[in-house]
Amino acid sequence: MHIEPVPGVALSPSPAALAYLNDFARVAPAYEYDWTRQESFARRAAYLNGGGWAGDRAAVSAALERYNRALGADEAALANARLLGQPGTLAAVTGQQAGILTGPAYSIYKAMTTIRLARQQSERLGVPVVPVFWIAGEDHDWHEVSWVMVPAGDRAHRLALAERFEGERRSVALAPMPPSVEAVIAEFEALMPETEFKAEVVARVREAAAAPPALEPGASGGRPSLADWFGRLMAWIFRGTGLVFLNSADPALRRIEAPFFARALERQADVEAACERGVHRWERQLGFTCTVDLVPGSLNLFLYVDGDRLPLVGEGDRVWVRGNPELSWSRSELIDLAWRSPERFSTNVVLRPVVQSFLLPDLFYAGGPGEINYLGLYRDVYRTMGQQMPVLVPREGFTLVEPPIARVLQKHGLTLDDAFHRLEARKQELLEREDRLGIVPAFAAFRRDFAGRYAALADLVLQLDPQLGQMVEENRRQIEHQINRLEEKARQQHRKNCETSIRQFDRVRAHLTPHGLQERAFSILPYLVKYGPDLVGRLVDEVPLEQGWSHRAIYL
């Protein structure tokens, strides 16, 4: 397995993310720890195990063991879930929404980063560090999770659920599986090449979709959800790595979070002021653009009402559903509800990372550019809620290069820099190089010769009758148009003669940079079909953990 960096690829073009990667001192006021220094991990571990974290280890451990067992996770994951219940054990966390067919591959790379860095830090700190994947099951952004792309032949193919999700307010983990999942799986199977691994991978995909719900039966009405499908596939893909899965919509965890919800309701004004300080620091002091829309009066909580996840706002003693002031409660009523029925509450983008630190002794969080941007607003929110921001580690980025693509690169002398940044220019160079008849210079020479000859002919005609000027000019335009048409036909035929090479260039683009980076488009599952169900486990073990950050190509 050959690995090399891809030049000129950033985690994100965001100025804040670039500064976070390359100039941490510039963004340090917005974060708690410098991710580039081992001393930060040591300080975070000392804080957590020195009384800074006071979560309910036993309850969290029991909930995670039950949930992972329901997902069909292996003994390595179950053992780590139990290990979280032991004093001194720390958590290494990452997470993502529950996309169909496991969503884009960067979810896989987030988990890979977390597992490998957890192993490293466990050795360096001398304490157990358990990798945890936070499935954002409470999220209701159905459009984001309802599609993914797969490489199929010479192009990138989009797979999507057929349902329309406008106005859908039910959480992905609590709503029944959309019926069109079956059609998506059938389409995926039809697109995949026949390999020795295809039957096993497709069977696992189907079994994961058809299995019983993984949460308590009452949570999703006794029916499996997209989050169940996602979790089962991920547990299978990461078997043997010890990765533990957490569903944020798990009622067992919600019950543990009751004090957190009550505190958020009580300290709304303080949290809102902390958000405002974070935005001011981000925009005025650091000069970045805020990526989160903060709603005045928001409690940064949702309440489930008849299955819908509805945002709460409040002022004084009154709390109501944003956009529906008739649906309201006194603040004391909601605080009482938070203690009695915490499973009816859910955090928004502001409090989601903070409740993570309430639940788990999180040494670090492995995130992408979006998380780097919005977490930079919340340092004071953590403190207001009695928590502290963990070390924020940028997730690793990869592009998988299959052997046929590697052969095309080698055949045409293409570097990764060419493939990612100059592929069209290199394709034009190929066409010019293969133009042994000299089509372009021949037509250029003809035009130069024609211009002189036609000018002389036009002068002769105009001497006979100056009134023929318009006809002479129109005739010149028609002849030039026909010359252009003939050249285009010649170029088209030349491209047709070079069709095999052009198709190879187009295949490189479709596989390596489909609508942007491969990791943001393609599911990992097609690569399991081709290279084996243990591919991700091999990547976890064989890809070296890099100090710093670069996007790397992995030659399969």
Side-chain angles (χ1 to χ4, degrees):
M1 187 180 294
H2 174 64
I3 303 167
E4 62 179 280
V6 181
V9 174
L11 180 65
S12 165
S14 156
L18 291 173
Y20 195 86
L21 292 177
N22 304 311
D23 185 15
F24 184 82
R26 184 187 169 196
V27 298
Y31 301 92
E32 203 71 55
Y33 296 100
D34 182 347
W35 70 280
T36 65
R37 303 180 62 190
Q38 177 59 33
E39 179 264 344
S40 295
F41 294 90
R43 281 199 298 117
R44 176 66 176 170
Y47 167 82
L48 292 168
N49 282 333
W53 180 77
D56 190 338
R57 282 188 180 277
V60 170
S61 173
L64 294 183
E65 183 179 4
R66 189 214 64 79
Y67 178 66
N68 281 265
R69 196 177 296 280
L71 289 180
D74 66 0
E75 182 53 36
L78 297 178
N80 268 351
R82 291 190 291 270
L83 185 58
L84 277 169
Q86 298 300 312
T89 301
L90 302 178
V93 190
T94 192
Q96 191 61 36
Q97 285 115 319
I100 66 168
L101 298 172
T102 73
Y106 65 77
S107 294
I108 303 298
Y109 304 149
K110 277 185 165 184
M112 283 176 53
T113 305
T114 305
I115 294 164
R116 291 150 68 238
L117 188 56
R119 292 174 181 176
Q120 180 202 77
Q121 290 303 317
S122 183
E123 292 178 3
R124 291 182 177 181
L125 300 174
V127 297
V129 181
V130 171
V132 177
F133 193 100
W134 182 290
I135 301 173
E138 62 189 341
D139 195 87
H140 61 259
D141 189 350
W142 286 82
H143 291 287
E144 184 165 348
V145 302
S146 65
W147 68 276
V148 75
M149 301 184 78
V150 297
D154 291 341
R155 68 189 187 95
H157 189 91
R158 189 176 189 269
L159 294 171
L161 298 176
E163 289 80 9
R164 299 178 65 84
F165 298 105
E166 283 76 7
E168 178 60 76
R169 306 291 305 184
R170 291 176 299 173
S171 294
V172 169
L174 304 181
M177 187 97 70
S180 67
V181 162
E182 294 179 9
V184 168
I185 296 173
E187 190 175 3
F188 171 73
E189 181 178 19
L191 288 169
M192 290 299 99
E194 296 301 325
T195 72
E196 60 180 303
F197 308 114
K198 178 179 178 178
E200 179 182 356
V201 173
V202 172
R204 286 286 184 173
V205 170
R206 281 206 168 92
E207 289 169 8
L215 296 179
E216 298 173 4
S220 58
R223 289 175 290 183
S225 67
L226 278 185
D228 293 328
W229 186 29
F230 176 87
R232 283 195 166 87
L233 283 176
M234 290 288 281
W236 172 65
I237 289 170
F238 282 97
R239 62 199 180 280
T241 66
L243 184 62
V244 175
F245 294 91
L246 179 157
N247 189 327
S248 64
D250 190 338
L253 297 178
R254 282 286 173 260
R255 289 190 283 272
I256 300 169
E257 294 166 0
F260 184 91
F261 296 134
R263 184 182 180 94
L265 287 161
E266 291 166 350
R267 303 203 60 182
Q268 174 191 352
D270 296 330
V271 171
E272 191 167 13
C275 284
E276 290 172 357
R277 291 196 300 274
V279 170
H280 183 273
R281 179 170 52 239
W282 194 251
E283 294 182 337
R284 304 291 179 84
Q285 182 178 343
L286 300 178
F288 299 132
T289 300
C290 181
T291 58
V292 177
D293 293 327
L294 299 178
V295 178
S298 173
L299 273 83
N300 301 301
L301 294 174
F302 292 89
L303 183 69
Y304 290 104
V305 179
D306 296 329
D308 288 345
R309 185 171 178 248
L310 305 178
L312 296 176
V313 293
E315 183 178 1
D317 188 49
R318 184 166 170 264
V319 176
W320 64 94
V321 170
R322 191 174 74 217
N324 186 4
E326 294 181 359
L327 195 54
S328 66
W329 306 262
S330 70
R331 192 176 298 268
S332 58
E333 284 177 325
L334 276 191
I335 292 172
D336 181 63
L337 184 63
W339 285 107
R340 287 187 294 104
S341 302
E343 64 277 3
R344 291 191 59 188
F345 290 83
S346 169
T347 54
N348 76 346
V349 67
V350 174
L351 290 181
R352 189 222 63 78
V354 188
V355 78
Q356 168 194 299
S357 295
F358 173 85
L359 265 184
L360 299 167
D362 50 352
L363 175 67
F364 68 82
Y365 182 86
E371 290 147 318
I372 289 172
N373 275 280
Y374 73 69
L375 284 172
L377 305 173
Y378 302 152
R379 189 193 68 186
D380 293 352
V381 176
Y382 276 87
R383 296 177 179 180
T384 298
M385 291 296 293
Q387 309 301 318
Q388 188 192 80
M389 184 187 296
V391 183
L392 175 58
V393 180
R395 67 154 177 87
E396 297 176 289
F398 299 105
T399 292
L400 303 180
V401 184
E402 300 183 72
I405 302 302
R407 287 194 290 271
V408 171
L409 296 177
Q410 184 177 25
K411 174 184 176 181
H412 294 287
L414 296 172
T415 65
L416 289 175
D417 200 12
D418 292 330
F420 278 76
H421 307 299
R422 290 186 294 276
L423 195 61
E424 191 60 33
R426 293 301 303 271
K427 184 164 67 175
Q428 292 305 316
E429 290 173 11
L430 168 74
L431 291 172
E432 293 172 10
R433 189 167 59 249
E434 294 296 315
D435 179 14
R436 296 182 176 87
L437 297 177
I439 296 170
V440 173
F443 274 89
F446 180 83
R447 285 192 180 88
R448 288 193 299 270
D449 188 50
F450 167 76
R453 287 176 174 272
Y454 194 83
L457 185 62
D459 184 59
L460 175 65
V461 171
L462 292 174
Q463 288 183 46
L464 293 172
D465 184 357
Q467 300 299 318
L468 295 174
Q470 183 175 352
M471 180 179 179
V472 167
E473 181 60 22
E474 179 61 28
N475 185 63
R476 182 188 63 78
R477 284 197 296 267
Q478 290 181 9
I479 295 173
E480 287 181 345
H481 175 68
Q482 292 301 320
I483 294 171
N484 291 339
R485 283 192 62 195
L486 185 60
E487 182 181 20
E488 182 56 30
K489 288 292 185 184
R491 283 174 176 264
Q492 288 176 1
Q493 186 59 47
H494 174 53
R495 289 176 67 89
K496 188 174 181 180
N497 294 344
C498 298
E499 187 173 350
T500 298
S501 294
I502 290 173
R503 197 162 56 239
Q504 289 172 342
F505 274 68
D506 293 341
R507 190 179 189 193
V508 167
R509 172 175 285 107
H511 280 255
L512 299 189
T513 55
H515 306 284
L517 289 178
Q518 178 195 94
E519 63 180 23
R520 293 191 166 275
F522 287 162
S523 163
I524 197 69
L525 292 176
Y527 299 96
L528 272 58
V529 168
K530 296 179 184 179
Y531 303 100
D534 64 340
L535 173 64
V536 172
R538 298 202 313 269
L539 295 179
V540 168
D541 291 335
E542 297 176 26
V543 177
L545 186 63
E546 192 173 49
Q547 298 298 324
W549 190 92
S550 69
H551 189 90
R552 287 179 283 172
I554 301 174
Y555 290 80
L556 300 176

